[in-house]
Amino acid sequence: MTSVPMDHGLLLAGLLFAVGLAGVLVRRNILYVLMSLEIMMNSAALAFVVAGARWSQPDGQIVFIFIVTVAAAEVAVGLALVYQMFKRMKTLDADAASLMRG
Amino acid sequence: MTIAFYVASAVALFATLMVVTRRNPVHAVLYLMVSLLAVAVVFFTLGAHFAAALEVIIYAGAIIVLFVFMIMLLNIGPPPSTRQESLLLTPGIWVGPSALSVLLAGLFLYVILAGGRSVQAGSYVDAKTVGISMFEIYFLGVELASMILLAGLVGAYHLGKRDLPDEAEGGNG
């Protein structure tokens, strides 16, 4: 265990997650929503690494690697969707895509 | 080590708040990169050196570059070239992220120079341990990660096609 208390690491993860969540809820530009999602994923990964460091086990870092993998796949598909949305609607406003057809 | 953790945490929180509140997407991406670098320093102070390296390489190096590519592709933000270039040279844009990055670099140097090799012998988890554990206990997870990467690749390729059939109403949203 390092000299940093585990609580403080988890607190940092929680605060970062809260900021990311606020970003998802408040911002209407879909690019910012994606960035906030990245922040939230990163904070979740931070919580795993903190727990792994607490017990000196490699599992935390392994879950971190998996989370990074998922985030990379998510951002690739998400940005492709943003591209399609911008091409069709000429805007990045998430509310513009609120209509469903069918 | 402890002080490095708290300074990096403060930088991460501040940069993340700046990401959510910026108007220009490029500024937000710059601050997001600083935030990820700060989290990498936090990983380093926690003894997860491999995770810190991955955070810099994959998150700050690859995912952020994807965001930058997309912003360039969509050509949003302040319009054309000369005005934009002269705008990039005004200090107000890059001085914030740069100051935070310099702070992080100083922190990193401090950790390396002051900490040396003797710190936290017990809690340090090296890349070898991670690799062994990953390919012995979690190898099914590695296979699944390869599947999700393949799915992401196919999905991004399909959605990124220029001539995706326009479904009916197209742009009336």
Side-chain angles (χ1 to χ4, degrees):
Chain A
M1 172 70 190
T2 56
S3 45
V4 179
M6 184 192 185
D7 303 358
H8 294 184
L10 292 181
L11 187 67
L12 173 67
L15 284 174
L16 285 179
F17 191 90
V19 173
L21 184 64
V24 170
L25 293 177
V26 171
R27 297 307 298 249
R28 290 275 56 91
N29 188 330
I30 200 157
L31 216 52
Y32 285 92
V33 173
L34 269 181
M35 279 188 231
S36 305
L37 280 176
E38 289 301 312
I39 293 169
M40 287 164 73
M41 280 205 175
N42 193 39
S43 68
L46 172 65
F48 273 106
V49 172
V50 168
R54 165 68 179 79
W55 284 282
S56 300
Q57 293 295 315
D59 305 66
Q61 294 188 50
I62 289 169
V63 176
F64 168 77
I65 294 170
F66 289 150
I67 289 179
V68 168
T69 312
V70 172
E74 176 250 335
V75 85
V77 176
L79 284 176
L81 280 171
V82 169
Y83 173 67
Q84 285 297 331
M85 179 184 167
F86 188 76
K87 219 176 70 174
R88 289 171 187 226
M89 304 180 178
K90 308 292 173 222
T91 173
L92 286 179
D93 190 357
D95 289 337
S98 63
L99 291 181
M100 242 190 193
R101 195 174 143 272
Chain B
M1 235 31 183
T2 318
I3 185 84
F5 173 84
Y6 290 111
V7 175
S9 303
V11 171
L13 261 181
F14 176 72
T16 309
L17 277 173
M18 296 299 272
V19 171
V20 180
T21 52
R22 287 310 87 184
R23 256 169 209 281
N24 191 327
V26 179
H27 303 181
V29 163
L30 277 179
Y31 276 112
L32 182 56
M33 182 178 274
V34 172
S35 161
L36 296 175
L37 290 178
V39 173
V41 173
V42 168
F43 285 168
F44 193 82
T45 59
L46 288 174
H49 299 191
F50 187 51
L54 282 183
E55 175 95 4
V56 173
I57 295 170
I58 300 182
Y59 254 118
I63 294 181
I64 295 298
V65 170
L66 269 183
F67 274 103
V68 174
F69 275 161
M70 190 49 64
I71 289 168
M72 282 162 59
L73 193 64
L74 300 183
N75 202 14
I76 43 185
S81 50
T82 49
R83 203 170 78 77
Q84 193 169 359
E85 279 165 11
S86 64
L87 215 67
L88 282 179
L89 293 176
T90 56
I93 288 176
W94 48 264
V95 88
S98 309
L100 290 178
S101 303
V102 167
L103 183 63
L104 282 178
L107 210 59
F108 196 63
L109 279 179
Y110 164 74
V111 168
I112 288 178
L113 295 179
R117 304 191 184 283
S118 59
V119 280
Q120 28 156 291
S123 71
Y124 165 63
V125 181
D126 64 350
K128 189 179 170 187
T129 323
V130 175
I132 289 174
S133 179
M134 181 152 173
F135 286 104
E136 283 186 354
I137 305 171
Y138 290 93
F139 79 95
L140 192 62
V142 175
E143 298 294 328
L144 289 175
S146 74
M147 296 293 270
I148 202 170
L149 279 178
L150 182 65
L153 176 70
V154 173
Y157 173 73
H158 176 70
L159 288 170
K161 271 194 289 195
R162 243 165 232 290
D163 49 354
L164 202 63
D166 219 9
E167 286 165 34
E169 82 226 306
N172 84 347

Coordinates of all heavy atoms in Angstrom, one line a residue, chain B residues 48-98:
Chain B
A48 N 1.2 1.8 -10.4 CA 0.8 1.1 -11.5 C 1.4 1.7 -12.8 O 0.8 2.4 -13.6 CB -0.8 1.1 -11.7
H49 N 2.7 1.4 -12.9 CA 3.5 2.0 -14.0 C 3.0 1.6 -15.4 O 3.0 2.4 -16.3 CB 5.0 1.7 -13.8 CG 5.5 2.2 -12.5 ND1 6.9 2.2 -12.2 CD2 4.9 2.7 -11.4 CE1 7.0 2.7 -11.0 NE2 5.9 3.0 -10.5
F50 N 2.7 0.3 -15.5 CA 2.2 -0.2 -16.8 C 0.9 0.5 -17.2 O 0.8 0.9 -18.4 CB 2.1 -1.7 -16.7 CG 1.8 -2.3 -18.0 CD1 2.6 -2.1 -19.1 CD2 0.7 -3.2 -18.2 CE1 2.4 -2.7 -20.3 CE2 0.5 -3.8 -19.4 CZ 1.3 -3.6 -20.5
A51 N 0.0 0.7 -16.3 CA -1.2 1.3 -16.6 C -1.0 2.8 -17.0 O -1.6 3.3 -17.9 CB -2.2 1.2 -15.4
A52 N 0.0 3.4 -16.3 CA 0.3 4.8 -16.6 C 0.8 4.9 -18.1 O 0.4 5.8 -18.8 CB 1.4 5.3 -15.7
A53 N 1.7 4.0 -18.5 CA 2.2 4.0 -19.8 C 1.1 3.8 -20.8 O 1.0 4.5 -21.8 CB 3.3 3.0 -20.0
L54 N 0.2 2.9 -20.5 CA -0.9 2.6 -21.4 C -1.8 3.8 -21.5 O -2.4 4.1 -22.6 CB -1.7 1.4 -21.0 CG -1.1 0.1 -21.3 CD1 -2.0 -1.1 -20.8 CD2 -0.8 -0.1 -22.8
E55 N -2.0 4.5 -20.4 CA -2.9 5.7 -20.4 C -2.4 6.7 -21.4 O -3.1 7.3 -22.1 CB -3.0 6.2 -19.0 CG -3.8 7.5 -18.9 CD -5.2 7.3 -18.5 OE1 -5.5 6.1 -18.2 OE2 -6.0 8.2 -18.5
V56 N -1.0 6.9 -21.3 CA -0.4 8.0 -22.2 C -0.5 7.5 -23.6 O -0.9 8.3 -24.5 CB 1.0 8.2 -21.8 CG1 1.7 9.2 -22.8 CG2 1.0 8.9 -20.4
I57 N -0.1 6.2 -23.9 CA 0.0 5.8 -25.3 C -1.4 5.7 -25.9 O -1.6 6.2 -27.0 CB 0.7 4.4 -25.3 CG1 2.2 4.6 -24.9 CG2 0.7 3.9 -26.8 CD1 2.9 3.3 -24.7
I58 N -2.3 5.0 -25.3 CA -3.6 4.6 -25.9 C -4.6 5.8 -25.8 O -5.1 6.3 -26.8 CB -4.2 3.3 -25.4 CG1 -3.2 2.2 -25.6 CG2 -5.5 3.1 -26.0 CD1 -3.7 0.9 -25.1
Y59 N -4.8 6.3 -24.5 CA -5.8 7.3 -24.4 C -5.3 8.6 -25.0 O -5.9 9.1 -25.9 CB -6.1 7.5 -22.9 CG -7.4 7.0 -22.4 CD1 -7.5 6.0 -21.5 CD2 -8.6 7.5 -23.0 CE1 -8.7 5.5 -21.1 CE2 -9.8 7.0 -22.6 CZ -9.9 6.0 -21.7 OH -11.1 5.5 -21.3
A60 N -4.2 9.2 -24.4 CA -3.8 10.5 -24.9 C -3.2 10.4 -26.3 O -3.2 11.4 -27.0 CB -2.7 11.0 -23.9
G61 N -2.6 9.3 -26.7 CA -2.0 9.2 -28.0 C -2.9 8.8 -29.1 O -2.7 9.2 -30.2
A62 N -3.9 7.9 -28.8 CA -4.7 7.4 -29.9 C -6.1 7.9 -29.9 O -6.6 8.4 -30.9 CB -4.7 5.9 -29.9
I63 N -6.7 7.8 -28.8 CA -8.2 8.2 -28.7 C -8.4 9.7 -28.9 O -9.2 10.1 -29.7 CB -8.8 7.7 -27.4 CG1 -8.8 6.1 -27.4 CG2 -10.2 8.2 -27.2 CD1 -9.4 5.5 -26.2
I64 N -7.5 10.5 -28.3 CA -7.6 11.9 -28.4 C -7.3 12.3 -29.9 O -7.9 13.2 -30.4 CB -6.6 12.6 -27.5 CG1 -7.0 12.3 -26.1 CG2 -6.6 14.1 -27.7 CD1 -8.3 12.8 -25.7
V65 N -6.4 11.6 -30.5 CA -6.1 11.9 -31.9 C -7.3 11.7 -32.8 O -7.6 12.4 -33.7 CB -4.8 11.1 -32.4 CG1 -4.7 11.2 -33.9 CG2 -3.6 11.6 -31.7
L66 N -8.1 10.6 -32.4 CA -9.3 10.4 -33.2 C -10.3 11.5 -33.0 O -10.9 12.0 -34.0 CB -10.0 9.1 -32.6 CG -9.7 7.8 -33.2 CD1 -10.5 6.7 -32.6 CD2 -10.0 7.8 -34.7
F67 N -10.4 12.1 -31.8 CA -11.2 13.2 -31.6 C -10.7 14.4 -32.5 O -11.5 15.1 -33.1 CB -11.2 13.6 -30.2 CG -12.3 12.9 -29.4 CD1 -11.9 11.9 -28.5 CD2 -13.6 13.3 -29.4 CE1 -12.8 11.2 -27.8 CE2 -14.5 12.6 -28.7 CZ -14.2 11.6 -27.9
V68 N -9.4 14.6 -32.5 CA -8.9 15.8 -33.3 C -9.2 15.6 -34.8 O -9.6 16.5 -35.5 CB -7.4 15.9 -33.0 CG1 -6.8 17.0 -33.9 CG2 -7.1 16.3 -31.6
F69 N -9.0 14.3 -35.2 CA -9.3 14.0 -36.6 C -10.7 14.4 -37.0 O -11.0 15.0 -38.0 CB -9.0 12.5 -36.9 CG -7.6 12.2 -37.3 CD1 -7.2 10.9 -37.2 CD2 -6.8 13.2 -37.7 CE1 -5.9 10.6 -37.5 CE2 -5.4 12.9 -37.9 CZ -5.0 11.6 -37.8
M70 N -11.6 14.0 -36.0 CA -13.0 14.2 -36.3 C -13.4 15.7 -36.3 O -14.1 16.1 -37.2 CB -13.9 13.5 -35.2 CG -15.3 13.4 -35.5 SD -15.8 12.9 -37.1 CE -15.2 11.2 -37.1
I71 N -12.8 16.4 -35.4 CA -13.0 17.9 -35.4 C -12.5 18.5 -36.7 O -13.2 19.4 -37.3 CB -12.4 18.5 -34.2 CG1 -13.1 18.1 -32.9 CG2 -12.4 20.0 -34.3 CD1 -12.4 18.4 -31.7
M72 N -11.3 18.0 -37.2 CA -10.8 18.6 -38.4 C -11.7 18.2 -39.6 O -11.9 19.0 -40.5 CB -9.4 18.0 -38.7 CG -8.4 18.8 -37.8 SD -6.9 17.8 -37.8 CE -6.4 17.7 -39.5
L73 N -12.2 16.9 -39.6 CA -13.0 16.4 -40.7 C -14.3 17.2 -40.8 O -14.8 17.5 -41.9 CB -13.3 14.9 -40.4 CG -13.8 14.1 -41.6 CD1 -12.8 14.1 -42.7 CD2 -14.1 12.7 -41.1
L74 N -14.9 17.5 -39.6 CA -16.2 18.2 -39.6 C -16.0 19.7 -39.9 O -17.0 20.4 -40.2 CB -16.9 17.9 -38.3 CG -17.3 16.5 -38.0 CD1 -18.0 16.4 -36.7 CD2 -18.1 15.9 -39.1
N75 N -14.8 20.1 -39.6 CA -14.5 21.5 -39.8 C -15.4 22.5 -39.1 O -15.9 23.4 -39.6 CB -14.5 21.9 -41.3 CG -13.7 23.1 -41.6 OD1 -12.9 23.5 -40.8 ND2 -13.9 23.7 -42.8
I76 N -15.6 22.1 -37.8 CA -16.4 23.0 -36.9 C -15.5 23.9 -36.2 O -14.3 23.9 -36.4 CB -17.2 22.2 -35.9 CG1 -16.3 21.1 -35.3 CG2 -18.4 21.6 -36.6 CD1 -17.1 20.2 -34.4
G77 N -16.1 24.8 -35.5 CA -15.3 25.8 -34.8 C -15.0 27.0 -35.7 O -15.6 27.1 -36.8
P78 N -14.2 27.9 -35.3 CA -14.0 29.1 -36.1 C -13.5 28.8 -37.5 O -12.5 28.1 -37.7 CB -12.9 29.9 -35.3 CG -12.3 28.9 -34.4 CD -13.3 27.9 -34.1
P79 N -14.1 29.4 -38.5 CA -13.8 29.2 -39.9 C -12.4 29.7 -40.3 O -11.6 30.2 -39.5 CB -14.9 29.8 -40.6 CG -15.5 30.8 -39.7 CD -15.2 30.3 -38.3
P80 N -12.3 29.7 -41.6 CA -11.1 29.4 -42.4 C -9.7 29.8 -42.0 O -9.5 30.6 -41.0 CB -11.4 29.9 -43.8 CG -12.8 29.9 -43.9 CD -13.4 30.1 -42.5
S81 N -8.8 29.4 -42.8 CA -7.4 29.2 -42.5 C -6.7 30.3 -41.8 O -6.3 30.2 -40.6 CB -6.7 28.8 -43.7 OG -7.0 29.7 -44.7
T82 N -6.5 31.4 -42.5 CA -5.5 32.4 -42.0 C -6.0 33.0 -40.6 O -5.2 33.1 -39.7 CB -5.4 33.6 -42.9 OG1 -6.7 34.0 -43.3 CG2 -4.6 33.2 -44.2
R83 N -7.3 33.2 -40.5 CA -7.8 33.8 -39.3 C -7.6 32.7 -38.2 O -7.2 33.0 -37.1 CB -9.3 34.1 -39.4 CG -9.8 35.1 -38.4 CD -11.2 35.5 -38.8 NE -12.2 34.5 -38.4 CZ -12.6 34.3 -37.1 NH1 -12.1 35.1 -36.2 NH2 -13.5 33.4 -36.8
Q84 N -7.8 31.5 -38.5 CA -7.7 30.4 -37.5 C -6.2 30.2 -37.1 O -5.9 30.0 -35.9 CB -8.2 29.1 -38.1 CG -8.4 28.0 -37.1 CD -9.1 26.8 -37.7 OE1 -9.5 26.9 -38.9 NE2 -9.3 25.8 -36.9
E85 N -5.3 30.4 -38.1 CA -3.9 30.2 -37.7 C -3.4 31.3 -36.8 O -2.7 31.1 -35.9 CB -3.1 30.1 -39.0 CG -3.1 28.7 -39.6 CD -2.6 28.7 -41.0 OE1 -2.0 29.7 -41.4 OE2 -2.7 27.7 -41.7
S86 N -3.9 32.5 -37.2 CA -3.4 33.6 -36.3 C -4.1 33.5 -34.9 O -3.5 33.9 -33.9 CB -3.8 35.0 -36.9 OG -5.2 35.0 -37.0
L87 N -5.2 32.9 -34.9 CA -5.9 32.7 -33.6 C -5.1 31.7 -32.8 O -5.0 31.8 -31.6 CB -7.3 32.1 -33.9 CG -8.4 32.5 -32.9 CD1 -8.7 34.0 -33.1 CD2 -9.7 31.7 -33.2
L88 N -4.5 30.7 -33.5 CA -3.8 29.6 -32.7 C -2.5 30.2 -32.1 O -2.0 29.6 -31.1 CB -3.4 28.5 -33.7 CG -4.5 27.5 -34.0 CD1 -4.0 26.5 -35.0 CD2 -5.0 26.9 -32.8
L89 N -2.1 31.3 -32.6 CA -0.8 31.9 -32.1 C -1.1 32.8 -30.9 O -0.2 33.2 -30.2 CB -0.1 32.7 -33.1 CG 0.5 31.8 -34.2 CD1 1.1 32.6 -35.3 CD2 1.5 30.8 -33.7
T90 N -2.4 33.2 -30.6 CA -2.6 34.0 -29.5 C -2.5 33.1 -28.2 O -3.0 32.0 -28.2 CB -4.0 34.6 -29.5 OG1 -5.0 33.5 -29.7 CG2 -4.1 35.6 -30.7
P91 N -1.9 33.7 -27.2 CA -1.6 32.9 -26.0 C -2.8 32.3 -25.3 O -2.7 31.3 -24.7 CB -0.8 33.8 -25.1 CG -0.6 35.1 -25.8 CD -1.4 35.1 -27.1
G92 N -3.9 33.0 -25.3 CA -5.0 32.6 -24.5 C -5.5 31.2 -24.7 O -6.0 30.6 -23.9
I93 N -5.2 30.7 -25.9 CA -5.7 29.4 -26.3 C -4.9 28.3 -25.7 O -5.4 27.3 -25.0 CB -5.8 29.2 -27.8 CG1 -6.9 30.0 -28.3 CG2 -6.0 27.8 -28.2 CD1 -7.0 30.0 -29.8
W94 N -3.6 28.4 -25.8 CA -2.7 27.2 -25.4 C -2.1 27.4 -24.1 O -1.4 26.5 -23.6 CB -1.7 26.9 -26.5 CG -0.9 28.1 -27.0 CD1 -1.2 28.8 -28.1 CD2 0.2 28.7 -26.4 NE1 -0.3 29.8 -28.2 CE2 0.6 29.8 -27.2 CE3 1.0 28.4 -25.3 CZ2 1.7 30.6 -26.9 CZ3 2.1 29.2 -25.0 CH2 2.4 30.3 -25.8
V95 N -2.2 28.6 -23.5 CA -1.4 28.8 -22.3 C -1.9 28.0 -21.1 O -1.1 27.5 -20.3 CB -1.3 30.3 -21.9 CG1 -2.5 30.8 -21.1 CG2 0.0 30.6 -21.3
G96 N -3.2 27.8 -21.0 CA -3.8 27.0 -19.9 C -3.3 25.5 -19.9 O -2.7 25.1 -19.0
P97 N -3.6 24.8 -21.0 CA -3.2 23.4 -21.1 C -1.6 23.3 -21.0 O -1.1 22.4 -20.4 CB -3.6 22.9 -22.5 CG -4.8 23.8 -22.8 CD -4.5 25.1 -22.2
S98 N -0.9 24.2 -21.6 CA 0.6 24.1 -21.5 C 1.1 24.3 -20.1 O 1.9 23.5 -19.7 CB 1.2 25.2 -22.4 OG 0.7 25.2 -23.7

